[in-house]
Amino acid sequence: MMALLMDTRLSYILRRVKDLRCFTPRRNRMKEKWATTRPKHPPTTLALQHFDSTYSVQLGQLWPSVRAALLSERKYGALLNHFSHDASPADLEAQGCRDFITDTDTQAQLCSEQEPEVRLEEEDGVSLKKSHADQQLSSLRLSPNIKCLVFPRGNITRFKPAKPDMLGYLGYYLMDAASMLPCLVLDVQEGHSVLDLCAAPGGKALALLQTQSIDFLCVNDTSVSRTTRLKRVFHSYVPKQLLSKQKLRITSFDGTKWGEIERDTFDRVLVDVPCTTDRHSLIEDDNNIFSKSRTGERRGLPQLQLELLLAGIEAACPGGEIVYSTCTLSQVQNQSVVEQAVSLALEDRGIQLQVVDLRPLTHMFRKTFHFAPDLHVGEMVIPHLAANFGPIYMCKLKRLT
Ligand SMILES: C[S@@+](CC[C@H](N)C(=O)[O-])C[C@H]1O[C@@H](n2cnc3c(N)ncnc32)[C@H](O)[C@@H]1O
């Protein structure tokens, strides 16, 4: 009798569960299944553990606030597309946005113009010189054609997706506003030939095209699928006549071999290397460099970054300038790579480089971004809850020989 009662009760419960499943949205049912197959140590957790151990040492007291920002929703900037008929900033300005590139901290600018001489640094006979801050400021001519609108500090409004104009070109491109800084630092001038060595999906290349001063742009990325994505981006933003072969070359070569193809050629080279993409690694398990299967690839990043930077240095012409950038906070992937590249370029290739002082830039944009204090080489935007951009590290090198 007892067994019969239990049986009836069990079948009742099972029926109820089955009924309930009908009312459970499919999305949730998928999640249940996903939860059971989720690895014990998902890549996002491994990334957080790794960052906690390394960045707490590297950033010290700054780490808890940077950590909180990294785990919160990031902020975007809207890069205006001058090739679109809907490129007016008026709509965005009406929503409270401002172009951070023109809205600089003029007080800070004045201070840096009066700044005393900057210390010269020598390391192992390698020129890690920082020139006068004011000299650098006057030589940094920001293109008036690049406009990137952001919501003010503390305002976390999201941008609406950009709309196509009558010819189908989108009015703006959404990207981390701090990603604009390496493009500005590159200081592209009229008639320059420019190489973007690791270009996909193409946000920075698109910003460089907005300057409308480049004579020839070579856009490269080793990944064929990502290069295809870059081409799609270009077709949504750039008129066909500008995509002609005389003005633009899109390739999918291994950038580390570039020095073997084309040396001493480009006025400007952007080396925006693959890295641990700290923000992505903390929020997305898919395509995560901290997944166990990619440990070797992750450990090999500094070597790959070094080879890419050296190839970029070789591709620049004497007198040309190279900007190295990443979206990681890691000192091993940032400053260490630059320092090694500067030494090896001299030792193995006889190329002398000067590290350009970017402090004037950090003064100018301190209203918009938080910068890491006292970096030995280069500058870095660090995430902050009130201005949740970055991380973006950048360092500019000038080829002296
Ligand atoms: C940080 S992403 C570049 C982002 C891009 N600059 C932008 O603004 O949209 C790094 C890129 O480097 C590419 N890459 C990785 N190894 C490479 C190599 N050996 N040569 C050239 N590109 C490489 C990756 O496919 C990836 O698209």
Side-chain angles (χ1 to χ4, degrees), residues 374-391:
D374 307 325
L375 256 53
H376 182 55
V377 276
E379 298 292 346
M380 182 162 68
V381 174
I382 51 172
H384 187 280
L385 278 174
N388 207 354
F389 303 108

Side-chain angles (χ1 to χ4, degrees), residues 140-160:
L140 187 68
R141 296 148 289 182
L142 302 182
S143 167
N145 293 330
I146 304 189
K147 294 205 183 310
C148 182
L149 286 98
V150 291
F151 284 99
R153 284 177 71 83
N155 181 334
I156 54 164
T157 309
R158 290 183 189 158
F159 286 99
K160 293 187 188 122

Side-chain angles (χ1 to χ4, degrees), residues 173 175 196-205 220-223 226 253-256 270 272-275 277 304 308 327:
Y173 181 84
M175 62 198 289
D196 187 351
L197 195 58
C198 311
K204 295 189 187 72
N220 178 68
D221 198 286
T222 192
S223 157
R226 285 174 68 92
F253 295 132
D254 174 358
T256 61
L270 179 61
D272 186 35
V273 292
C275 66
T277 51
L304 173 63
L308 285 167
C327 54

Side-chain angles (χ1 to χ4, degrees), residues 282-326:
L282 284 178
I283 54 158
E284 187 69 60
D285 280 326
D286 278 350
N287 188 25
N288 191 315
I289 190 92
F290 282 86
S291 64
K292 287 249 163 69
S293 59
R294 295 181 70 186
T295 305
E297 186 189 341
R298 177 165 59 81
R299 294 205 177 125
L301 278 174
Q303 182 58 32
L304 173 63
Q305 292 158 343
L306 176 63
E307 287 175 24
L308 285 167
L309 179 52
L310 282 167
I313 290 168
E314 282 191 300
C317 60
E321 294 177 350
I322 304 103
V323 171
Y324 175 78
S325 59
T326 73

Side-chain angles (χ1 to χ4, degrees), residues 131-201:
S131 2
H132 291 201
D134 50 351
Q135 270 177 13
Q136 296 295 331
L137 182 68
S138 55
S139 66
L140 187 68
R141 296 148 289 182
L142 302 182
S143 167
N145 293 330
I146 304 189
K147 294 205 183 310
C148 182
L149 286 98
V150 291
F151 284 99
R153 284 177 71 83
N155 181 334
I156 54 164
T157 309
R158 290 183 189 158
F159 286 99
K160 293 187 188 122
K163 289 194 195 117
D165 67 4
M166 54 197 185
L167 294 174
Y169 300 121
L170 297 170
Y172 53 79
Y173 181 84
L174 294 181
M175 62 198 289
D176 186 327
S179 297
M180 292 300 302
L181 297 181
C183 307
L184 294 172
V185 160
L186 199 60
D187 188 25
V188 169
Q189 297 300 321
E190 203 65 46
H192 272 169
S193 64
V194 181
L195 167 64
D196 187 351
L197 195 58
C198 311

Side-chain angles (χ1 to χ4, degrees), residues 113-133:
E113 274 163 12
Q114 290 153 12
E115 231 171 57
E117 196 173 327
V118 176
R119 204 158 37 96
L120 293 180
E121 297 170 23
E122 283 282 334
E123 266 195 10
D124 304 333
V126 176
S127 175
L128 284 177
K129 288 179 192 161
K130 290 185 171 188
S131 2
H132 291 201

